[in-house]
């Protein structure tokens, strides 16, 4: 049981490049989300999904796209990287029912630098 | 006013000390509360949920004060391994959104 996995761990992009951050979970969780963490800002929600085929925007969605074709995978796409997107990105999942609802499991993070 | 506020610290305490952190929240309709722990350059991990009646897990005690809109985390007999950032997390009533505080840094020293 690997939990939540993310790739890559580190990435450097040039302004304007695009890329996809991968996220997968093997806990059969319906709810998945992407956060970015910046110093002094806390974790901010980018996009989330309540199940396969359903996605919605969080508080900072601009410049990012997501899709959810399976329960397990939730990739995050940066369309045209900007220096303001330099951050640490965390993918998370949690069950949507039961006593552990709202208890999030995070992946190890992707450190992204945009130059 | 921020939805969730924490004193960033750092709190520097000697090993064996008792330390407490508070976290205030602005939405009186908030329904679920959690403490997460985040080690340097690692992902956040759930430490404990906070129940209305308060709850304890070993050396850790969490309490909720709805009247004053804050939650607290008490750590007894601090260990070097407790050094980390502690994140307060709040869910507003009726929704899925979790709001994270910016965290309180704890450093336990010899």
């Amino acid at each position: 049981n690997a939990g939540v996995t993310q790739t890559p761990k580190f990435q450097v992009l040039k302004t304007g490049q695009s890329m996809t951050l991968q996220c997968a979970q093997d806990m059969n969780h319906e709810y998945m989300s992407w956060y970015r963490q910046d110093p002094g800002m806390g974790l901010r929600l980018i996009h989330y999904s309540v199940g396969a085929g359903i996605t919605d925007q969080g508080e900072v969605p601009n410049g990012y796209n997501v899709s959810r074709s399976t329960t397990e995978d939730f990739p995050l796409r940066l369309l045209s990287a900007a220096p303001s997107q330099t951050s640490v990105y965390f993918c998370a999942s949690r069950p949507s029912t039961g006593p552990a609802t709202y208890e999030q499991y995070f992946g190890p993070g992707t450190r992204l630098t945009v130059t | 006013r921020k939805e969730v506020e924490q004193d960033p610290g750092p709190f520097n305490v000697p090993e064996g000390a008792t330390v407490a952190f508070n976290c205030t929240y602005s939405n009186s309709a908030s329904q679920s509360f959690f403490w997460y722990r985040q080690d340097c350059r690692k992902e956040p991990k759930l430490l404990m949920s906070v129940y209305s009646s308060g709850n304890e897990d070993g050396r850790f005690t969490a309490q909720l004060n709805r009247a004053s809109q804050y939650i607290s985390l008490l750590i007894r007999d601090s260990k070097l391994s407790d050094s980390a950032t502690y994140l307060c997390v709040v869910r507003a009533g009726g929704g899925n959104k979790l709001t994270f505080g910016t965290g309180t840094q704890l450093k336990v020293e010899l």
Side-chain angles (χ1 to χ4, degrees):
Chain A
N1 193 331
V4 182
T5 57
Q6 288 183 239
T7 56
K9 285 190 167 50
F10 302 94
Q11 183 71 50
V12 179
L13 291 178
K14 293 190 189 313
T15 297
Q17 288 184 314
S18 62
M19 78 161 294
T20 299
L21 308 186
Q22 301 292 345
C23 173
Q25 53 93 8
D26 61 1
M27 296 174 282
N28 203 33
H29 287 165
E30 290 294 319
Y31 196 97
M32 295 186 74
S33 48
W34 276 101
Y35 293 87
R36 59 178 290 174
Q37 186 175 37
D38 303 291
M41 300 289 289
L43 283 151
R44 291 183 292 168
L45 183 65
I46 304 171
H47 284 285
Y48 67 96
S49 168
V50 299
I54 307 169
T55 63
D56 207 345
Q57 296 181 350
E59 58 184 299
V60 288
N62 292 341
Y64 308 95
N65 271 357
V66 291
S67 59
R68 185 96 179 269
S69 56
T70 66
T71 299
E72 294 78 20
D73 300 297
F74 190 43
L76 177 73
R77 295 184 191 83
L78 277 70
L79 308 172
S80 176
S84 60
Q85 293 179 304
T86 293
S87 188
V88 181
Y89 291 85
F90 290 103
C91 179
S93 75
R94 60 176 173 82
S96 55
T97 58
T101 306
Y102 308 117
E103 294 180 4
Q104 299 232 83
Y105 294 81
F106 286 86
T110 295
R111 294 184 177 275
L112 176 68
T113 301
V114 182
T115 61
Chain B
R1 183 183 171 187
K2 285 184 182 178
E3 289 185 63
V4 178
E5 291 201 73
Q6 296 183 254
D7 181 342
F11 284 58
N12 297 304
V13 302
E15 207 175 11
T18 296
V19 62
F21 316 131
N22 280 348
C23 164
T24 59
Y25 59 94
S26 60
N27 187 341
S28 60
S30 297
Q31 289 195 350
S32 304
F33 308 89
F34 308 90
W35 285 103
Y36 279 72
R37 171 194 169 126
Q38 186 172 24
D39 293 300
C40 188
R41 300 179 74 83
K42 299 285 191 182
E43 72 272 23
K45 291 184 178 177
L46 179 67
L47 179 66
M48 58 198 303
S49 303
V50 185
Y51 302 123
S52 298
S53 54
N55 46 300
E56 191 173 301
D57 183 1
R59 297 181 292 108
F60 298 84
T61 300
Q63 298 214 308
L64 167 64
N65 185 316
R66 284 195 184 274
S68 300
Q69 293 183 208
Y70 74 86
I71 66 172
S72 64
L73 178 67
L74 180 81
I75 305 175
R76 289 181 299 278
D77 188 21
S78 299
K79 313 288 185 194
L80 293 174
S81 57
D82 293 333
S83 298
T85 296
Y86 291 83
L87 307 176
C88 167
V89 182
V90 175
R91 181 182 72 91
N96 280 310
K97 182 188 172 189
L98 298 177
T99 301
F100 286 76
T102 53
T104 296
Q105 188 180 12
L106 171 66
K107 295 181 179 179
V108 181
E109 302 162 333
L110 285 170

